[in-house]
Amino acid sequence: VKDHRLIIVNMNVLLISVDALRADHLGYMQNYLPNPLPGSVPPTPNIDELIKDSIRCTSMFATGGSTKMSFPSIMTGMYPPNTSLSNL
């Protein structure tokens, strides 16, 4: 029986959060989108290089109606009404 558990040693986590950044405006995403932008895409060489050895999370959704409500949820794992920051 094979052990299918993933063992991660010395893992670094870097969360890049950008408000209102569309996936179709990132250079590396042009290979994954069903309808990429025609013509030139603004270059994003640093993000493109970083993503080569990274895990992409492509199935995400917002827990709140604005960044102000959603970002505390990302950082705490709680829904916006349960964070003390949702009333800012």
Side-chain angles (χ1 to χ4, degrees):
V1 176
K2 292 183 179 179
D3 187 357
H4 294 289
R5 291 178 289 180
L6 178 64
I7 299 172
I8 300 173
V9 180
N10 296 326
M11 183 176 84
N12 295 314
V13 175
L14 172 64
L15 172 64
I16 299 175
S17 177
V18 182
D19 191 17
L21 176 63
R22 291 179 13 190
D24 60 351
H25 282 76
L26 292 170
Y28 81 92
M29 284 299 292
Q30 298 308 304
N31 297 327
Y32 301 100
L33 296 171
N35 299 309
L37 286 174
S40 73
V41 174
T44 54
N46 295 325
I47 294 175
D48 296 347
E49 188 65 29
L50 181 64
I51 200 69
K52 287 180 183 177
D53 295 321
S54 302
I55 297 172
R56 288 183 302 116
C57 299
T58 58
S59 182
M60 308 298 284
F61 61 92
T63 56
S66 68
T67 303
K68 180 174 71 171
M69 292 175 64
S70 294
F71 199 73
S73 294
I74 292 170
M75 300 308 288
T76 64
M78 297 187 294
Y79 287 108
N82 298 334
T83 67
S84 61
L85 302 172
S86 63
N87 295 325
L88 295 177

